[in-house]
Amino acid sequence: MSLETVLQHVLAGISLGGAYALIAIGYTMVYGVLRLINFAHGEIFMIAGYLMIFSMASMPWQIAIPVVLIGTTLLGVFIERFAYSPLRSAPRMSIMISAIGVSYLLQNLATYLFTALPRGYPVIPFLKKVFQIGTISSSLVTFITPVITVVLVILLVQLITHTKIGMAMRAVSKDFETATLMGIQLNSVISATFAIGSFLAGVGSILYFTDRMSVNPFSGALPGLKCFVAAVLGGIGSIPGAMIGGFILGLGETFMVALGFSTFSDAFTFVILVLMLLFKPTGLFGEMEAEKV
Amino acid sequence: MIRLNSKTKLILTVAALGLTMLWFYHLEQNPRANGYLIKILERSAIYAVVAVAMNLMNGFTGLFSLGQAGFMAIGAYTVGILTIPVEARPNVYYISGVAPWLEKIEIHYLAALFLGGLIAAVFAALIGVLILKLRSDYLAIATLGFAEIIRSVIASPQMDTITNGSYGLKKILRFETIYTPFILSAVCIFMMVLILRSSYGRAFLAIREDEVAAEAMGINLFTHKELSFVISSFFTGVAGGLLAMFMGSIDSGTFRVTLTYDILLIVVLGGMGSVSGSVIAAFLVTGGREYLRFFDEPLKIAGVQISLFRPGFRMVIFSALLMIVVLFYRKGIMGDTEFSWDGIANFIYRFLPTGKARRGNGGRDE
């Protein structure tokens, strides 16, 4: 591989990783607060893709993008209210089954409503403009994805560390019961967590699918699982960790494909997961005294 | 409460078995007319085995594993590779040919099923050493990941001469009568029931209820978790083999995560921790999925097209059913109790008018 191709792949990998990072943050935040792997997160991401297709059909992209982001946010909050909050005191396994159930339901619902055939993702003209830096050329979306990711992560970290709701989130993730005793409104904190996570999944979905060009009802499942792995890799509960994890996975996957191991690129992700859980369950940036996994 | 004496129960059991056999005999007489029903029954019996095996791990031992599809794939491919008739192999592996060492090996399907289970069990043992330490949700993700790895290895071009890569296998030996899958499934489920009733089964329950307390009572956590995982995977592998024989042709797409979710629906609906619940739910869900096909077909009422009914609606209903059971009816059909003739008798008794009168009398008999 020449230097040029390597650089091209690095760029593609970072761009993919940026989208992964945005989804991974949703997992990491929800896990931090509820100790639940939100299996439906990948499906929220997929539904955001369909929302974009339908809103672009009737409005210009300047309006469609906010509509999609708001819709996705509401969907996430609604799912939490409907499927997770009634099970707050139930055994863990029930909540997990409920999460799997939501994911299964959304997949089947999407198959029913939009058929299993892939649908073309609308082209947002300015994102698709071909851009050139030195000898590397790519569409604008590839260049701005990592930038958007980093900016959003910085904003989110500010939110978590400096605002009241952020402080409440940290308190809930440290100790559920004590936080409630201190007068924190558990339900609104959890809703806010889902809202932020889903909003970022919406942004990630626009960036990811603009590059992939088509959506089908199952296109959320595998990226969803991979992003969970990214969250574990970075250390569950850590937002910058999820971002780094996303970038590592994105780069790893791109290079696996470039080297001709495309069938094993998914397996590679899970090998990383198992290795991480075995040797460093707290992840790269997780808190030291995190609970036993 | 009614308690039937053991003689009555024996008679009822024998009668029920006899009637089932007679019914099967009747179905077999006219395979063309009853082919559809036979297919549904066979598939239900096979799913029942997987569901009970999943229940053994998830419901009885309390370890949330989502690797079923992967272990089924191992069993199915083992049976498929070893039972395709030798003369049909060039035809099946028409793309890249069959590996020379494999070309002439063909074994009896019972041996192949056993071997399929065994290979799945060995994989489970190896994986289990690594991942059974993980806590519930991490375990779920890790097993899901392994199932996905197994699937992608099977489908990879490097395995072309063994598994026929992404083209899948066909011409796998099929069942000749409906009795074969039923008897084999019954034997598998019976063996699992025996295990659950043994001291190992009690230990599994203890682990589910409280790991720390179980350990304090002298139960070796790791050994028993590993054992539960290996046993569950063995039977999942055998069931995968049965599924391969049932379908006659398989490819890696058969063993996606959705297959695991289908089984999970059965287990949850039947009740986590109830063997008979899983069996009943396996028949209900599989039968329901076939007979509710009309949901997928366009429906006209008084000349008006009901647009709700079109392909995919059936699966929406089934996934909604899973949600409803989890949210509002967490115990499922059987909870963690088992089927018994006493239970049936009491159920009927409750609906008899005389029964009601007696209960009104403070439960005293006149």
Side-chain angles (χ1 to χ4, degrees):
Chain A
M1 257 192 261
S2 68
L3 183 68
E4 208 171 296
T5 21
V6 170
L7 279 179
Q8 193 84 45
H9 286 309
V10 168
L11 182 66
I14 288 182
S15 173
L16 178 65
Y20 280 175
L22 290 174
I23 308 168
I25 292 169
Y27 278 107
T28 224
M29 288 181 67
V30 168
Y31 196 90
V33 171
L34 273 187
R35 297 280 177 268
L36 161 79
I37 299 176
N38 184 8
F39 279 91
H41 200 60
E43 273 63 45
I44 294 179
F45 165 79
M46 172 269 295
I47 296 280
Y50 276 109
L51 265 179
M52 189 68 184
I53 295 178
F54 290 109
S55 28
M56 281 287 278
S58 52
M59 348 174 176
W61 64 269
Q62 291 92 333
I63 306 173
I65 289 179
V67 166
V68 169
L69 294 182
I70 292 168
T72 317
T73 310
L74 291 180
L75 178 70
V77 175
F78 175 74
I79 286 175
E80 194 279 323
R81 271 289 140 86
F82 168 74
Y84 303 153
S85 70
L87 294 173
R88 210 71 95 206
S89 56
R92 277 173 82 95
M93 212 186 257
S94 301
I95 309 186
M96 219 155 53
I97 296 173
S98 183
I100 294 174
V102 173
S103 133
Y104 194 45
L105 179 64
L106 288 178
Q107 274 181 14
N108 286 326
L109 205 61
T111 316
Y112 168 63
L113 293 173
F114 318 125
T115 75
L117 298 174
R119 290 213 179 197
Y121 200 72
V123 176
I124 303 168
F126 97 102
L127 281 179
K128 272 295 184 191
K129 217 177 280 166
V130 176
F131 215 67
Q132 190 144 12
I133 294 182
T135 49
I136 320 168
S137 70
S138 192
S139 56
L140 183 64
V141 65
T142 320
F143 288 102
I144 64 165
T145 304
V147 179
I148 291 181
T149 308
V150 173
V151 169
L152 284 174
V153 166
I154 292 171
L155 285 177
L156 187 58
V157 170
Q158 296 304 315
L159 179 92
I160 297 282
T161 44
H162 293 303
T163 65
K164 207 169 170 186
I165 186 84
M167 201 193 284
M169 276 177 194
R170 280 183 292 143
V172 170
S173 73
K174 269 266 184 285
D175 191 332
F176 209 82
E177 276 160 18
T178 315
T180 327
L181 287 177
M182 295 295 145
I184 289 173
Q185 294 293 323
L186 200 60
N187 283 331
S188 54
V189 171
I190 293 174
S191 292
T193 312
F194 273 85
I196 295 173
S198 310
F199 173 82
L200 294 176
V203 179
S205 150
I206 294 174
L207 299 170
Y208 180 88
F209 286 121
T210 301
D211 235 8
R212 299 284 169 298
M213 324 234 275
S214 79
V215 187
N216 71 57
F218 303 98
S219 52
L222 207 55
L225 287 175
K226 281 183 186 162
C227 295
F228 177 75
V229 177
V232 173
L233 182 61
I236 217 101
S238 155
I239 290 167
M243 179 180 77
I244 306 281
F247 283 135
I248 294 177
L249 274 196
L251 278 172
E253 192 185 323
T254 312
F255 275 95
M256 290 284 282
V257 174
L259 294 173
F261 295 105
S262 51
T263 28
F264 292 111
S265 72
D266 303 338
F268 158 79
T269 321
F270 288 106
V271 171
I272 289 189
L273 172 74
V274 174
L275 291 179
M276 276 318 276
L277 291 180
L278 287 177
F279 298 113
K280 205 169 182 316
T282 50
L284 298 174
F285 299 90
E287 289 163 35
M288 273 321 170
E289 32 86 64
E291 43 164 355
K292 193 173 154 242
V293 288
Chain B
M1 274 302 275
I2 298 181
R3 288 206 178 278
L4 304 171
N5 64 31
S6 51
K7 210 172 174 184
T8 326
K9 283 185 202 166
L10 188 70
I11 293 171
L12 281 170
T13 313
V14 171
L17 278 178
L19 279 177
T20 320
M21 286 291 163
L22 262 178
W23 185 40
F24 286 172
Y25 180 75
H26 168 73
L27 290 180
E28 292 262 281
Q29 292 313 105
N30 192 354
R32 190 158 298 168
N34 298 321
Y36 189 50
L37 183 58
I38 292 177
K39 284 273 164 226
I40 294 171
L41 287 171
E42 288 182 350
R43 188 187 275 272
S44 310
I46 295 166
Y47 276 18
V49 178
V50 196
V52 174
M54 188 178 195
N55 213 338
L56 182 114
M57 174 102 181
N58 294 23
F60 285 93
T61 321
L63 297 168
F64 201 82
S65 151
L66 290 177
Q68 275 68 22
F71 294 114
M72 283 176 84
I74 294 178
Y77 268 87
T78 311
V79 170
I81 291 165
L82 294 174
T83 64
I84 295 176
V86 169
E87 59 276 10
R89 291 204 184 164
N91 198 344
V92 174
Y93 293 87
Y94 65 104
I95 301 279
S96 33
V98 58
W101 57 271
L102 202 64
E103 210 169 4
K104 294 272 174 270
I105 306 176
E106 188 190 342
I107 59 177
H108 192 260
Y109 71 92
L110 284 178
L113 283 171
F114 185 74
L115 194 65
L118 215 58
I119 295 177
V122 169
F123 266 89
L126 295 176
I127 296 166
V129 175
L130 295 174
I131 63 174
L132 282 175
K133 289 180 253 178
L134 303 175
R135 227 192 31 212
S136 58
D137 24 16
Y138 283 97
L139 180 67
I141 278 277
T143 44
L144 193 69
F146 268 112
E148 207 48 42
I149 292 176
I150 289 170
R151 204 173 68 83
S152 65
V153 168
I154 284 176
S156 67
Q158 285 84 345
M159 295 284 280
D160 264 355
T161 55
I162 301 170
T163 62
N164 209 15
S166 48
Y167 307 105
L169 297 174
K170 50 189 185 197
K171 302 204 165 143
I172 301 168
L173 190 73
R174 307 186 72 138
F175 298 125
E176 276 166 15
T177 76
I178 187 173
Y179 295 107
T180 323
F182 264 86
I183 291 173
L184 289 173
S185 305
V187 168
C188 288
I189 292 171
F190 184 65
M191 291 207 291
M192 280 188 275
V193 170
L194 286 185
I195 292 166
L196 285 172
R197 284 195 177 174
S198 70
S199 63
Y200 292 109
R202 308 278 170 203
F204 294 163
L205 284 179
I207 292 174
R208 176 187 76 185
E209 294 303 326
D210 191 334
E211 286 197 5
V212 179
E215 202 169 20
M217 297 308 286
I219 294 170
N220 186 328
L221 281 188
F222 176 72
T223 320
H224 282 87
K225 283 183 177 179
E226 177 87 1
L227 201 63
S228 167
F229 191 38
V230 169
I231 293 170
S232 167
S233 309
F234 174 82
F235 287 108
T236 310
V238 173
L242 289 173
L243 190 68
M245 290 181 69
F246 166 76
M247 294 172 63
S249 64
I250 50 173
D251 63 73
S252 63
T254 316
F255 303 99
R256 282 182 200 286
V257 185
T258 30
L259 180 63
T260 306
Y261 291 174
D262 291 344
I263 306 292
L264 183 70
L265 167 66
I266 293 175
V267 173
V268 172
L269 185 68
M272 302 279 260
S274 168
V275 172
S276 42
S278 293
V279 175
I280 295 170
F283 280 86
L284 281 181
V285 170
T286 317
R289 283 175 71 153
E290 294 301 327
Y291 284 109
L292 296 180
R293 276 197 189 277
F294 69 86
F295 280 136
D296 277 6
E297 274 145 29
L299 180 75
K300 266 191 185 162
I301 294 177
V304 183
Q305 187 83 22
I306 310 282
S307 59
L308 203 61
F309 288 79
R310 59 192 151 98
F313 190 54
R314 197 166 45 108
M315 287 318 292
V316 173
I317 291 183
F318 272 94
S319 34
L321 180 69
L322 176 64
M323 289 305 300
I324 290 167
V325 173
V326 174
L327 287 176
F328 305 109
Y329 200 66
R330 219 180 300 148
K331 292 183 102 168
I333 297 173
M334 298 294 289
D336 52 5
T337 56
E338 292 294 345
F339 170 85
S340 69
W341 290 114
D342 286 342
I344 296 276
N346 280 312
F347 188 72
I348 296 168
Y349 181 70
R350 224 185 298 166
F351 288 95
L352 288 179
T354 49
K356 263 188 192 145
R358 276 193 203 150
R359 279 204 305 182
N361 203 13
R364 270 173 290 147
D365 282 1
E366 288 94 324

